[in-house]
Amino acid sequence: MCHSLMNSMDSRGEYVKFSKEKYQVDGHAERLEEELEEELKLNSGNIRGQGWYHGHISREVSEKLVMRNGDFLIRDSLTSVGDYVLTSRWNNKVLHFVIGKVLVGTQDPNPQFQYFLGRESFSSVAALVHFYAGTRQPVSLESGAQIYSPINRTLPLHYLEADFTMVQEKQDSTHSPSGLRETCMEWQSITMANRLAIQSQELHNPLSPVRDALLSPPYTSSTHHRSPSVEACRFCPPSACAPPSKGYVGHLHVKRKKEERSHVFNAPPVEMSSSFRPGQYQSPLMPSENKPLEVGILKRVKELLTEVDARTAAQHLTMADCMVARMLDFSTEMQNMMAVDSGLELLTLPHGQQLRLDLLERFHTMSIMIAAELLGCTGSREERAALLHKTILLAAELKSSMGNMFGFAAVMRALALPQISRLEQMWMILRQRHTEAAILYEKKLKPYLKTINAEGCVLPDTTFPHVVPLLLLLESSVDMGDGVELWDKVDMEVDVVMNHLEVARAIAHEGEKYCSNVQTKLQEFQERPEVLEVFLTEFQMRLLWGSRGSEASQAERYQKFDRVLTALSNKLEPYSGHSVERT
């Protein structure tokens, strides 16, 4: 039996020696993928079943795997057998933390250990990782480093370890620590080869997101849509690099090319027209033909917004935002066609220009709509102050409970428009009747918006991140119209631009996570179709500019309504300071 296992019969019926190296290098990608899946199904207490565990890889390779702040992996210590090392990146520096291990209890056949990192102790390495990644507590007080983005391996550990042992046996004459180190560096995890090949492909791809500024996300098990490049890599064993197509990278490349591209790269389509078509839009809240700011429609909108609280309004607004951003109702067919997993990834790419323009259209239209509601509110000053109060609460709900920074920025821009901010009587009544809301707006919401406009933000519970600065940077030709700018001219420095480009890279990387957050936030949400209608961009365009004017050029529409808002504002509180309204 031993003879039959170690030898196999060739086509002439003669026995030939079994080649372990050839078997492993020429193995099918499907088999490796199945073995990885089986390995990851191991009991959660077995570290080999964790995707972030990379086994025997060297310090040098681990440093190249963690590319963004928060990236991390666990590897074996090559200098202290049996110990583990946490490799992570923080503040653009790679850090290595040795995980301490202490035997507890008696030394029975299954000894129990406690694992230490910082001041905390854990029953397993998995528990340690879950604690620090879940709570975002620094793994060390000195560095302040946080871990939250695991770098998952793409090959089974036994495959890597078998080849590592094979190479080590061939170099058995080298027993020194330096010899072992050289062996480790010669045969590194093919995961790294895949990663470097993908980055090389992305950086030379004209469709790569702003190339140098917006690099592709790390290659983890979730990024299997991108096919690695077929090229010899110095991280493979010498036998695997002759020829390159015989290695695992080559097999995987050919397999996925056949399945996805049929050996032909098809460039994603470039959209040439807006997804908003107000001229064809039909709504139960308005007739097929309507004039700008029809009183009956405005009244119905006011009634609907009065019926719901700020939280419910924020939920409907967030749903409408995410539909435009293709975070909801983004079909698999469209994802494959556009070569992205979500709209947040698409808006960072060259062929996502139309999506960027649509989001800017929505941002401006939403701001104008809210301003028109405040200025067109018939009744007393107290009623307008009450509507202002509710608008501030809407902004707070979008920021806090919904994590919708896009919608939050649109509402805040409406409140900061000069036609709104100049209404001293309305703001004075707000401070008198709704003091807490006035303090919330001045002391918390406004400073927070100023901070994220300058620095950007990527928060764990965010549904729709703050992408407006990025949209304006990439589409600088779009006219914001008269009103509030995101930055003062003197503050528009290189570091501000770089902040938002860095945030954009993180947004593209975490696109699926934001989509998941949206679904979680809206899981128990009870949609009211009429309320959702009020927050749809096409409905707002029809209400503001009428069925005919809504299809005029963007610049013309914005300029026209800026004059309308100014006239409404002057009517409510003339510059002379004498009120013309009845209270």
Side-chain angles (χ1 to χ4, degrees):
M1 174 167 38
C2 181
H3 179 78
S4 62
L5 287 175
M6 295 301 297
N7 298 277
S8 59
M9 186 173 292
D10 66 6
S11 59
R12 297 172 297 179
E14 299 177 357
Y15 282 100
V16 295
K17 187 175 181 180
F18 174 79
S19 171
K20 176 181 178 183
E21 178 179 351
K22 179 177 176 57
Y23 171 76
Q24 290 176 334
V25 173
D26 289 345
H28 295 295
E30 294 89 344
R31 175 174 56 80
L32 292 174
E33 291 173 353
E34 291 172 0
E35 291 173 354
L36 176 61
E37 290 178 3
E38 290 299 319
E39 196 170 70
L40 295 178
K41 291 178 182 178
L42 292 174
N43 185 284
S44 59
N46 190 334
I47 193 172
R48 297 172 68 86
Q50 304 293 340
W52 35 256
Y53 174 61
H54 288 244
H56 290 287
I57 65 171
S58 71
R59 180 189 183 100
E60 290 79 7
V61 170
S62 68
E63 289 179 348
K64 294 176 181 177
L65 285 169
V66 289
M67 296 187 65
R68 297 175 177 80
N69 290 335
D71 285 0
F72 73 93
L73 58 85
I74 301 292
R75 59 183 174 87
D76 292 339
S77 172
L78 297 182
T79 57
S80 179
V81 178
D83 288 342
Y84 302 106
V85 177
L86 167 66
T87 299
S88 67
R89 180 177 288 271
W90 190 252
N91 288 335
N92 299 317
K93 295 180 180 178
V94 178
L95 305 172
H96 302 274
F97 301 95
V98 177
I99 298 175
K101 183 172 65 174
V102 175
L103 178 67
V104 295
T106 60
Q107 297 188 22
D108 54 27
N110 297 306
Q112 300 296 315
F113 294 93
Q114 283 290 110
Y115 298 88
F116 295 86
L117 186 60
R119 299 180 179 180
E120 304 290 341
S121 65
F122 307 89
S123 60
S124 67
V125 177
L128 181 151
V129 169
H130 293 162
F131 172 79
Y132 284 107
T135 64
R136 296 289 184 93
Q137 288 198 26
V139 296
S140 80
L141 297 178
E142 181 181 358
S143 66
Q146 299 177 18
I147 61 172
Y148 45 82
S149 296
I151 302 302
N152 295 325
R153 67 181 186 273
T154 58
L155 285 172
L157 286 168
H158 82 87
Y159 177 86
L160 301 178
E161 291 169 351
D163 279 298
F164 177 80
T165 303
M166 176 190 68
V167 175
Q168 191 173 24
E169 289 173 353
K170 286 186 177 181
Q171 300 183 1
D172 197 35
S173 59
T174 307
H175 298 287
S176 65
S178 61
L180 176 62
R181 185 179 185 84
E182 291 173 2
T183 301
C184 294
M185 293 186 65
E186 181 178 1
W187 169 223
Q188 308 295 359
S189 167
I190 296 183
T191 304
M192 187 61 203
N194 289 350
R195 181 181 174 84
L196 295 180
I198 290 169
Q199 289 178 353
S200 175
Q201 185 183 46
E202 291 286 341
L203 288 173
H204 292 86
N205 184 354
L207 294 176
S208 181
V210 199
R211 295 177 63 174
D212 294 332
L214 305 177
L215 294 176
S216 59
Y219 182 70
T220 65
S221 58
S222 63
T223 57
H224 58 275
H225 298 291
R226 295 185 174 91
S227 300
S229 174
V230 181
E231 60 182 77
C233 179
R234 65 184 179 87
F235 294 100
C236 301
S239 58
C241 294
S245 60
K246 294 296 183 182
Y248 171 69
V249 175
H251 280 296
L252 189 60
H253 174 74
V254 173
K255 171 179 175 287
R256 288 178 178 163
K257 277 293 183 180
K258 289 180 179 178
E259 292 177 349
E260 299 174 6
R261 301 295 184 188
S262 300
H263 301 282
V264 177
F265 172 74
N266 296 318
V270 178
E271 297 172 302
M272 303 301 293
S273 60
S274 172
S275 62
F276 303 134
R277 295 177 176 82
Q280 304 172 16
Y281 181 72
Q282 299 295 323
S283 169
L285 299 180
M286 63 175 57
S288 57
E289 295 275 340
N290 72 290
K291 297 179 181 179
L293 296 176
E294 283 196 8
V295 176
I297 305 175
L298 281 172
K299 183 179 179 180
R300 181 55 183 154
V301 169
K302 181 181 177 181
E303 291 173 352
L304 288 169
L305 296 180
T306 304
E307 292 172 5
V308 299
D309 58 18
R311 172 75 60 91
T312 303
Q315 290 173 328
H316 283 85
L317 193 153
T318 298
M319 174 175 278
D321 281 344
C322 293
M323 289 167 62
V324 175
R326 305 185 193 184
M327 300 170 66
L328 294 173
D329 299 333
F330 193 31
S331 67
T332 304
E333 181 182 0
M334 282 299 298
Q335 290 178 14
N336 293 335
M337 184 182 300
M338 305 304 289
V340 296
D341 292 321
S342 76
L344 290 181
E345 186 179 357
L346 178 60
L347 66 83
T348 66
L349 297 166
H351 62 289
Q353 181 182 40
Q354 188 57 58
L355 176 59
R356 294 193 291 271
L357 295 176
D358 282 353
L359 286 172
L360 284 173
E361 175 76 81
R362 175 166 178 77
F363 177 77
H364 298 322
T365 302
M366 180 67 69
S367 297
I368 295 171
M369 176 75 175
I370 292 172
E373 284 292 322
L374 289 168
L375 295 174
C377 176
T378 57
S380 66
R381 300 168 186 165
E382 287 74 13
E383 288 177 314
R384 283 197 300 279
L387 182 58
L388 176 61
H389 170 231
K390 193 164 187 177
T391 305
I392 292 173
L393 295 182
L394 172 61
E397 290 289 346
L398 289 167
K399 169 185 174 291
S400 302
S401 65
M402 296 308 300
N404 180 359
M405 299 302 150
F406 179 83
F408 166 71
V411 175
M412 290 296 290
R413 182 177 187 269
L415 297 178
L417 287 172
Q419 294 93 336
I420 301 295
S421 60
R422 64 170 292 274
L423 298 178
E424 296 180 359
Q425 296 173 9
M426 182 176 69
W427 287 96
M428 179 181 65
I429 295 174
L430 176 78
R431 289 188 286 270
Q432 294 172 347
R433 302 285 182 91
H434 310 282
T435 307
E436 291 184 359
I439 294 174
L440 174 65
Y441 177 71
E442 294 291 343
K443 301 299 183 181
K444 292 187 177 181
L445 301 184
K446 285 178 65 176
Y448 181 77
L449 180 64
K450 184 176 181 180
T451 299
I452 63 176
N453 279 340
E455 301 175 4
C457 70
V458 180
L459 303 176
D461 293 331
T462 299
T463 55
F464 197 155
H466 189 45
V467 299
V468 177
L470 174 68
L471 300 178
L472 293 173
L473 288 171
L474 297 181
E475 304 299 334
S476 57
S477 61
V478 175
D479 184 9
M480 284 280 289
D482 294 334
V484 179
E485 298 291 343
L486 290 177
W487 309 281
D488 295 330
K489 298 299 183 183
V490 294
D491 293 335
M492 188 58 179
E493 299 176 351
V494 174
D495 59 340
V496 175
V497 176
M498 295 306 298
N499 285 341
H500 288 292
L501 291 179
E502 180 67 25
V503 168
R505 187 173 70 172
I507 288 172
H509 180 200
E510 301 290 345
E512 291 185 7
K513 180 178 179 181
Y514 291 122
C515 294
S516 176
N517 288 345
V518 173
Q519 294 173 353
T520 300
K521 295 279 188 180
L522 299 178
Q523 189 171 10
E524 299 180 358
F525 164 59
Q526 299 294 322
E527 176 190 338
R528 289 186 56 182
E530 283 191 323
V531 177
L532 180 62
E533 192 92 4
V534 171
F535 293 110
L536 297 181
T537 303
E538 289 165 309
F539 174 86
Q540 295 175 351
M541 294 173 72
R542 283 280 301 274
L543 176 59
L544 295 174
W545 291 288
S547 53
R548 298 183 181 181
S550 60
E551 294 193 330
S553 70
Q554 188 181 72
E556 181 182 349
R557 286 187 285 110
Y558 292 166
Q559 291 172 6
K560 177 181 179 180
F561 221 86
D562 184 66
R563 294 192 295 269
V564 171
L565 294 178
T566 300
L568 290 172
S569 180
N570 292 339
K571 182 179 179 182
L572 293 177
E573 293 187 22
Y575 280 102
S576 62
H578 300 292
S579 176
V580 296
E581 64 175 342
R582 295 181 180 180
T583 61

